[in-house]
Amino acid sequence: MANGKSGAWRNWAGNVTARPAREVTPASVDELADAVREAAEDGLRIKAVGTGHSFTAAAVTDGLLIRPRLLTGIRRIDRAAMTVTVEAGTPLARLNLALAREGLSLTNMGDIMVQTVAGATSTGTHGTGRDSASTSALIRGIELVTADGSVLTCSEQENPEVFAAARIGLGALGVITAITFAVEPVFLLTAREEPMSFDRVTSDFDALVAENEHFEFYWFPHTANCSTKRNNRSAGPARPVPPVSGWIEDELLSNGLFQAVNSVGRVIPAAIPAIAKVSSRALSARTYTDIPYKVFTSPRRVRFMEMEYAVPREALVSALLELRTMVERSGLRVSFPVEVRTAPADDIPLSTASARDSAYIAVHMYRGTPYQAYFTAAERVFAAHGGRPHWGKIHTQGAEYLSEVYPRFGEFTAVRDRLDPERRFGNDYLRRVLGD
């Protein structure tokens, strides 16, 4: 186990920094458990970090920082139960590749796959789906090291109350060491991407969600233009995106050109509305068929700040119209599109879709651009609809508000009180959102 004094840790967006007293990179669950016990004996707080794709300080610690990058790979595949057990530090990209080689796939995914499986599930990472929910909803078992250094396994049959909470645990219940996911035989998805007007998307939103297994869209502020994406299962044959056109769309336009125009907008904010009109028309319609991770996920190289809220699905159009009105009247200049996705209700206490069908509205600002005024105004809109903030994205809510919008909030905090009464896995962010 590599360990010792640590330097500064910084997240992907560059807005969060931690300076832990020491850092460890355990190569086994036993080494991780020993590190937790030693830290507890020394009175240190403990946090594990993944790839740093959260915008909040959920993983910040001044004590022991655990890097799980040696805890990677698939432990076992159970084809009878159709599950895969994977080490917590495994990046989603590596898991998707390994599953594809075995002829398997996750049912649904988010739109990037650079996160670790533990980091993604602990913060409630999700994609979009009419019937299929977040990555955490695919969990069938969890192994974690608790505050006293013991290894706890949980599922619906074993320690079910811990399992219910730990599927989205914010790192507050212990350090996850392995996750068992439900999988299925690999399948094909046909993606249909096309531009659509804001008015049509909002007027037909319910039908678009009902008619498609996975529907999402991006609205470009300062325009009446949206880009839509519909993903549905296909009998094939596979028709992947051709390499040249894929590079033009996904790298040159979506990353290279987008980086350039955002850089211009940061220097000349007044140019952003004109740039938005060009950007919103840059991507053409296309249809392709491929295995799931190649359809669900895309490269995201332009760095940004992000806030995302889940609102009741029936409130989506009202909230989005209010957001548009706010932007138009505010004088704000917003160069990033607003992303809209959906998820069915699930039974996870701290899931943003807990017990209600949900729609997600994500607002972004280019890194280095002042974002506070935009996010504050957007948050006011979302909160008025009982919105629930994504746990890994910027928000200002505290335990008082969150306990009102999560009906099972008390169930989670009770499990936390039992597993970590001394708050070894606590930090300032968890104190704010969960209380103390």
Side-chain angles (χ1 to χ4, degrees), residues 102-130:
E102 296 288 340
L104 301 170
S105 176
L106 299 174
T107 298
N108 200 358
M109 302 173 201
D111 57 8
I112 62 171
M113 55 178 182
V114 298
Q115 313 100 307
T116 63
V117 295
T121 55
S122 293
T123 53
T125 293
H126 62 91
T128 190
R130 180 189 62 204

PDB file of all heavy atoms in Angstrom, residues 102-130:
ATOM      1  N   GLU A 102     -17.538  -9.539 -22.725  1.00  0.00           N
ATOM      2  CA  GLU A 102     -18.237 -10.716 -22.199  1.00  0.00           C
ATOM      3  C   GLU A 102     -19.640 -10.846 -22.777  1.00  0.00           C
ATOM      4  O   GLU A 102     -20.409 -11.726 -22.362  1.00  0.00           O
ATOM      5  CB  GLU A 102     -18.330 -10.623 -20.665  1.00  0.00           C
ATOM      6  CG  GLU A 102     -16.993 -10.662 -19.952  1.00  0.00           C
ATOM      7  CD  GLU A 102     -16.357 -12.042 -19.980  1.00  0.00           C
ATOM      8  OE1 GLU A 102     -17.095 -13.028 -20.210  1.00  0.00           O
ATOM      9  OE2 GLU A 102     -15.132 -12.140 -19.785  1.00  0.00           O
ATOM     10  N   GLY A 103     -20.001  -9.951 -23.697  1.00  0.00           N
ATOM     11  CA  GLY A 103     -21.346  -9.990 -24.270  1.00  0.00           C
ATOM     12  C   GLY A 103     -22.413  -9.486 -23.333  1.00  0.00           C
ATOM     13  O   GLY A 103     -23.580  -9.878 -23.413  1.00  0.00           O
ATOM     14  N   LEU A 104     -22.036  -8.563 -22.442  1.00  0.00           N
ATOM     15  CA  LEU A 104     -22.948  -8.038 -21.422  1.00  0.00           C
ATOM     16  C   LEU A 104     -22.981  -6.519 -21.464  1.00  0.00           C
ATOM     17  O   LEU A 104     -22.114  -5.880 -22.059  1.00  0.00           O
ATOM     18  CB  LEU A 104     -22.511  -8.508 -20.031  1.00  0.00           C
ATOM     19  CG  LEU A 104     -22.455 -10.017 -19.794  1.00  0.00           C
ATOM     20  CD1 LEU A 104     -21.781 -10.322 -18.465  1.00  0.00           C
ATOM     21  CD2 LEU A 104     -23.858 -10.624 -19.846  1.00  0.00           C
ATOM     22  N   SER A 105     -23.973  -5.936 -20.782  1.00  0.00           N
ATOM     23  CA  SER A 105     -24.081  -4.478 -20.722  1.00  0.00           C
ATOM     24  C   SER A 105     -24.913  -4.062 -19.526  1.00  0.00           C
ATOM     25  O   SER A 105     -25.786  -4.803 -19.058  1.00  0.00           O
ATOM     26  CB  SER A 105     -24.746  -3.940 -22.004  1.00  0.00           C
ATOM     27  OG  SER A 105     -24.934  -2.536 -21.935  1.00  0.00           O
ATOM     28  N   LEU A 106     -24.646  -2.865 -19.036  1.00  0.00           N
ATOM     29  CA  LEU A 106     -25.567  -2.203 -18.120  1.00  0.00           C
ATOM     30  C   LEU A 106     -26.799  -1.773 -18.917  1.00  0.00           C
ATOM     31  O   LEU A 106     -26.724  -1.537 -20.127  1.00  0.00           O
ATOM     32  CB  LEU A 106     -24.918  -0.981 -17.484  1.00  0.00           C
ATOM     33  CG  LEU A 106     -23.666  -1.230 -16.635  1.00  0.00           C
ATOM     34  CD1 LEU A 106     -23.063   0.105 -16.191  1.00  0.00           C
ATOM     35  CD2 LEU A 106     -23.991  -2.087 -15.414  1.00  0.00           C
ATOM     36  N   THR A 107     -27.927  -1.651 -18.239  1.00  0.00           N
ATOM     37  CA  THR A 107     -29.178  -1.289 -18.914  1.00  0.00           C
ATOM     38  C   THR A 107     -29.207   0.164 -19.317  1.00  0.00           C
ATOM     39  O   THR A 107     -29.718   0.524 -20.381  1.00  0.00           O
ATOM     40  CB  THR A 107     -30.374  -1.605 -17.996  1.00  0.00           C
ATOM     41  OG1 THR A 107     -30.388  -3.015 -17.741  1.00  0.00           O
ATOM     42  CG2 THR A 107     -31.692  -1.200 -18.631  1.00  0.00           C
ATOM     43  N   ASN A 108     -28.667   1.028 -18.477  1.00  0.00           N
ATOM     44  CA  ASN A 108     -28.694   2.465 -18.736  1.00  0.00           C
ATOM     45  C   ASN A 108     -27.399   3.071 -18.222  1.00  0.00           C
ATOM     46  O   ASN A 108     -26.728   2.495 -17.356  1.00  0.00           O
ATOM     47  CB  ASN A 108     -29.897   3.121 -18.057  1.00  0.00           C
ATOM     48  CG  ASN A 108     -30.260   4.467 -18.656  1.00  0.00           C
ATOM     49  OD1 ASN A 108     -29.594   4.958 -19.562  1.00  0.00           O
ATOM     50  ND2 ASN A 108     -31.324   5.062 -18.155  1.00  0.00           N
ATOM     51  N   MET A 109     -27.029   4.226 -18.749  1.00  0.00           N
ATOM     52  CA  MET A 109     -25.779   4.888 -18.379  1.00  0.00           C
ATOM     53  C   MET A 109     -25.963   6.395 -18.437  1.00  0.00           C
ATOM     54  O   MET A 109     -26.868   6.900 -19.093  1.00  0.00           O
ATOM     55  CB  MET A 109     -24.647   4.510 -19.348  1.00  0.00           C
ATOM     56  CG  MET A 109     -24.367   3.035 -19.450  1.00  0.00           C
ATOM     57  SD  MET A 109     -23.182   2.667 -20.759  1.00  0.00           S
ATOM     58  CE  MET A 109     -23.548   0.934 -21.031  1.00  0.00           C
ATOM     59  N   GLY A 110     -25.043   7.092 -17.753  1.00  0.00           N
ATOM     60  CA  GLY A 110     -24.971   8.533 -17.893  1.00  0.00           C
ATOM     61  C   GLY A 110     -24.329   8.900 -19.214  1.00  0.00           C
ATOM     62  O   GLY A 110     -24.067   8.041 -20.056  1.00  0.00           O
ATOM     63  N   ASP A 111     -24.032  10.192 -19.381  1.00  0.00           N
ATOM     64  CA  ASP A 111     -23.508  10.623 -20.684  1.00  0.00           C
ATOM     65  C   ASP A 111     -21.994  10.715 -20.741  1.00  0.00           C
ATOM     66  O   ASP A 111     -21.432  11.056 -21.782  1.00  0.00           O
ATOM     67  CB  ASP A 111     -24.151  11.937 -21.136  1.00  0.00           C
ATOM     68  CG  ASP A 111     -23.961  13.067 -20.141  1.00  0.00           C
ATOM     69  OD1 ASP A 111     -23.212  12.889 -19.161  1.00  0.00           O
ATOM     70  OD2 ASP A 111     -24.561  14.139 -20.352  1.00  0.00           O
ATOM     71  N   ILE A 112     -21.305  10.408 -19.631  1.00  0.00           N
ATOM     72  CA  ILE A 112     -19.857  10.251 -19.648  1.00  0.00           C
ATOM     73  C   ILE A 112     -19.510   8.982 -18.874  1.00  0.00           C
ATOM     74  O   ILE A 112     -20.348   8.463 -18.129  1.00  0.00           O
ATOM     75  CB  ILE A 112     -19.099  11.461 -19.057  1.00  0.00           C
ATOM     76  CG1 ILE A 112     -19.469  11.671 -17.574  1.00  0.00           C
ATOM     77  CG2 ILE A 112     -19.362  12.718 -19.864  1.00  0.00           C
ATOM     78  CD1 ILE A 112     -18.614  12.700 -16.875  1.00  0.00           C
ATOM     79  N   MET A 113     -18.281   8.482 -19.040  1.00  0.00           N
ATOM     80  CA  MET A 113     -17.922   7.237 -18.354  1.00  0.00           C
ATOM     81  C   MET A 113     -16.506   7.291 -17.787  1.00  0.00           C
ATOM     82  O   MET A 113     -15.830   6.275 -17.713  1.00  0.00           O
ATOM     83  CB  MET A 113     -18.095   6.041 -19.286  1.00  0.00           C
ATOM     84  CG  MET A 113     -17.372   6.104 -20.605  1.00  0.00           C
ATOM     85  SD  MET A 113     -17.644   4.576 -21.561  1.00  0.00           S
ATOM     86  CE  MET A 113     -16.632   4.925 -23.007  1.00  0.00           C
ATOM     87  N   VAL A 114     -16.083   8.474 -17.369  1.00  0.00           N
ATOM     88  CA  VAL A 114     -14.748   8.605 -16.779  1.00  0.00           C
ATOM     89  C   VAL A 114     -14.757   8.382 -15.272  1.00  0.00           C
ATOM     90  O   VAL A 114     -13.718   8.188 -14.659  1.00  0.00           O
ATOM     91  CB  VAL A 114     -14.144   9.993 -17.095  1.00  0.00           C
ATOM     92  CG1 VAL A 114     -13.976  10.173 -18.591  1.00  0.00           C
ATOM     93  CG2 VAL A 114     -15.006  11.106 -16.517  1.00  0.00           C
ATOM     94  N   GLN A 115     -15.938   8.406 -14.647  1.00  0.00           N
ATOM     95  CA  GLN A 115     -16.004   8.278 -13.190  1.00  0.00           C
ATOM     96  C   GLN A 115     -15.725   6.839 -12.748  1.00  0.00           C
ATOM     97  O   GLN A 115     -15.877   5.896 -13.517  1.00  0.00           O
ATOM     98  CB  GLN A 115     -17.401   8.661 -12.673  1.00  0.00           C
ATOM     99  CG  GLN A 115     -17.973   9.936 -13.233  1.00  0.00           C
ATOM    100  CD  GLN A 115     -18.975   9.648 -14.342  1.00  0.00           C
ATOM    101  OE1 GLN A 115     -18.671   8.937 -15.285  1.00  0.00           O
ATOM    102  NE2 GLN A 115     -20.159  10.218 -14.228  1.00  0.00           N
ATOM    103  N   THR A 116     -15.341   6.682 -11.487  1.00  0.00           N
ATOM    104  CA  THR A 116     -15.262   5.353 -10.904  1.00  0.00           C
ATOM    105  C   THR A 116     -16.676   4.881 -10.574  1.00  0.00           C
ATOM    106  O   THR A 116     -17.595   5.686 -10.393  1.00  0.00           O
ATOM    107  CB  THR A 116     -14.429   5.346  -9.613  1.00  0.00           C
ATOM    108  OG1 THR A 116     -15.076   6.175  -8.637  1.00  0.00           O
ATOM    109  CG2 THR A 116     -13.013   5.847  -9.864  1.00  0.00           C
ATOM    110  N   VAL A 117     -16.840   3.557 -10.464  1.00  0.00           N
ATOM    111  CA  VAL A 117     -18.176   3.045 -10.172  1.00  0.00           C
ATOM    112  C   VAL A 117     -18.660   3.506  -8.796  1.00  0.00           C
ATOM    113  O   VAL A 117     -19.847   3.809  -8.615  1.00  0.00           O
ATOM    114  CB  VAL A 117     -18.235   1.512 -10.285  1.00  0.00           C
ATOM    115  CG1 VAL A 117     -17.981   1.062 -11.711  1.00  0.00           C
ATOM    116  CG2 VAL A 117     -17.267   0.821  -9.322  1.00  0.00           C
ATOM    117  N   ALA A 118     -17.756   3.587  -7.826  1.00  0.00           N
ATOM    118  CA  ALA A 118     -18.164   4.022  -6.490  1.00  0.00           C
ATOM    119  C   ALA A 118     -18.499   5.511  -6.471  1.00  0.00           C
ATOM    120  O   ALA A 118     -19.483   5.925  -5.850  1.00  0.00           O
ATOM    121  CB  ALA A 118     -17.075   3.714  -5.470  1.00  0.00           C
ATOM    122  N   GLY A 119     -17.689   6.320  -7.149  1.00  0.00           N
ATOM    123  CA  GLY A 119     -17.960   7.746  -7.178  1.00  0.00           C
ATOM    124  C   GLY A 119     -19.249   8.065  -7.901  1.00  0.00           C
ATOM    125  O   GLY A 119     -20.042   8.912  -7.460  1.00  0.00           O
ATOM    126  N   ALA A 120     -19.486   7.380  -9.018  1.00  0.00           N
ATOM    127  CA  ALA A 120     -20.692   7.639  -9.806  1.00  0.00           C
ATOM    128  C   ALA A 120     -21.954   7.280  -9.032  1.00  0.00           C
ATOM    129  O   ALA A 120     -22.920   8.055  -8.991  1.00  0.00           O
ATOM    130  CB  ALA A 120     -20.634   6.857 -11.119  1.00  0.00           C
ATOM    131  N   THR A 121     -21.953   6.107  -8.407  1.00  0.00           N
ATOM    132  CA  THR A 121     -23.161   5.683  -7.708  1.00  0.00           C
ATOM    133  C   THR A 121     -23.365   6.436  -6.392  1.00  0.00           C
ATOM    134  O   THR A 121     -24.501   6.730  -6.024  1.00  0.00           O
ATOM    135  CB  THR A 121     -23.130   4.169  -7.434  1.00  0.00           C
ATOM    136  OG1 THR A 121     -21.926   3.835  -6.719  1.00  0.00           O
ATOM    137  CG2 THR A 121     -23.168   3.391  -8.734  1.00  0.00           C
ATOM    138  N   SER A 122     -22.292   6.783  -5.717  1.00  0.00           N
ATOM    139  CA  SER A 122     -22.420   7.459  -4.419  1.00  0.00           C
ATOM    140  C   SER A 122     -23.058   8.838  -4.541  1.00  0.00           C
ATOM    141  O   SER A 122     -23.640   9.350  -3.573  1.00  0.00           O
ATOM    142  CB  SER A 122     -21.046   7.596  -3.749  1.00  0.00           C
ATOM    143  OG  SER A 122     -20.545   6.340  -3.384  1.00  0.00           O
ATOM    144  N   THR A 123     -22.952   9.455  -5.712  1.00  0.00           N
ATOM    145  CA  THR A 123     -23.521  10.785  -5.915  1.00  0.00           C
ATOM    146  C   THR A 123     -24.785  10.765  -6.762  1.00  0.00           C
ATOM    147  O   THR A 123     -25.349  11.816  -7.063  1.00  0.00           O
ATOM    148  CB  THR A 123     -22.490  11.718  -6.579  1.00  0.00           C
ATOM    149  OG1 THR A 123     -21.989  11.098  -7.776  1.00  0.00           O
ATOM    150  CG2 THR A 123     -21.328  12.001  -5.636  1.00  0.00           C
ATOM    151  N   GLY A 124     -25.242   9.580  -7.168  1.00  0.00           N
ATOM    152  CA  GLY A 124     -26.498   9.495  -7.897  1.00  0.00           C
ATOM    153  C   GLY A 124     -26.397   9.790  -9.379  1.00  0.00           C
ATOM    154  O   GLY A 124     -27.345  10.312  -9.976  1.00  0.00           O
ATOM    155  N   THR A 125     -25.279   9.439 -10.004  1.00  0.00           N
ATOM    156  CA  THR A 125     -25.126   9.655 -11.443  1.00  0.00           C
ATOM    157  C   THR A 125     -26.250   8.936 -12.200  1.00  0.00           C
ATOM    158  O   THR A 125     -26.604   7.808 -11.881  1.00  0.00           O
ATOM    159  CB  THR A 125     -23.756   9.141 -11.900  1.00  0.00           C
ATOM    160  OG1 THR A 125     -22.748   9.966 -11.327  1.00  0.00           O
ATOM    161  CG2 THR A 125     -23.627   9.168 -13.409  1.00  0.00           C
ATOM    162  N   HIS A 126     -26.752   9.580 -13.234  1.00  0.00           N
ATOM    163  CA  HIS A 126     -27.882   9.025 -13.978  1.00  0.00           C
ATOM    164  C   HIS A 126     -27.777   9.401 -15.447  1.00  0.00           C
ATOM    165  O   HIS A 126     -27.057  10.329 -15.822  1.00  0.00           O
ATOM    166  CB  HIS A 126     -29.202   9.588 -13.429  1.00  0.00           C
ATOM    167  CG  HIS A 126     -29.294  11.078 -13.587  1.00  0.00           C
ATOM    168  ND1 HIS A 126     -29.846  11.680 -14.706  1.00  0.00           N
ATOM    169  CD2 HIS A 126     -28.858  12.091 -12.807  1.00  0.00           C
ATOM    170  CE1 HIS A 126     -29.749  12.995 -14.586  1.00  0.00           C
ATOM    171  NE2 HIS A 126     -29.148  13.271 -13.444  1.00  0.00           N
ATOM    172  N   GLY A 127     -28.505   8.683 -16.257  1.00  0.00           N
ATOM    173  CA  GLY A 127     -28.663   9.061 -17.646  1.00  0.00           C
ATOM    174  C   GLY A 127     -30.073   9.567 -17.852  1.00  0.00           C
ATOM    175  O   GLY A 127     -30.578  10.368 -17.062  1.00  0.00           O
ATOM    176  N   THR A 128     -30.712   9.101 -18.896  1.00  0.00           N
ATOM    177  CA  THR A 128     -32.115   9.434 -19.128  1.00  0.00           C
ATOM    178  C   THR A 128     -32.848   8.160 -19.470  1.00  0.00           C
ATOM    179  O   THR A 128     -32.290   7.267 -20.120  1.00  0.00           O
ATOM    180  CB  THR A 128     -32.257  10.485 -20.252  1.00  0.00           C
ATOM    181  OG1 THR A 128     -33.610  10.959 -20.295  1.00  0.00           O
ATOM    182  CG2 THR A 128     -31.875   9.933 -21.612  1.00  0.00           C
ATOM    183  N   GLY A 129     -34.085   8.020 -19.023  1.00  0.00           N
ATOM    184  CA  GLY A 129     -34.804   6.781 -19.300  1.00  0.00           C
ATOM    185  C   GLY A 129     -36.275   6.880 -18.942  1.00  0.00           C
ATOM    186  O   GLY A 129     -36.620   7.426 -17.893  1.00  0.00           O
ATOM    187  N   ARG A 130     -37.092   6.343 -19.810  1.00  0.00           N
ATOM    188  CA  ARG A 130     -38.537   6.277 -19.532  1.00  0.00           C
ATOM    189  C   ARG A 130     -38.822   5.234 -18.459  1.00  0.00           C
ATOM    190  O   ARG A 130     -39.630   5.450 -17.556  1.00  0.00           O
ATOM    191  CB  ARG A 130     -39.271   5.922 -20.820  1.00  0.00           C
ATOM    192  CG  ARG A 130     -40.791   5.817 -20.696  1.00  0.00           C
ATOM    193  CD  ARG A 130     -41.369   5.235 -21.984  1.00  0.00           C
ATOM    194  NE  ARG A 130     -40.853   3.875 -22.232  1.00  0.00           N
ATOM    195  CZ  ARG A 130     -40.789   3.315 -23.425  1.00  0.00           C
ATOM    196  NH1 ARG A 130     -41.184   3.987 -24.507  1.00  0.00           N
ATOM    197  NH2 ARG A 130     -40.321   2.085 -23.563  1.00  0.00           N
TER     198      ARG A 130
END
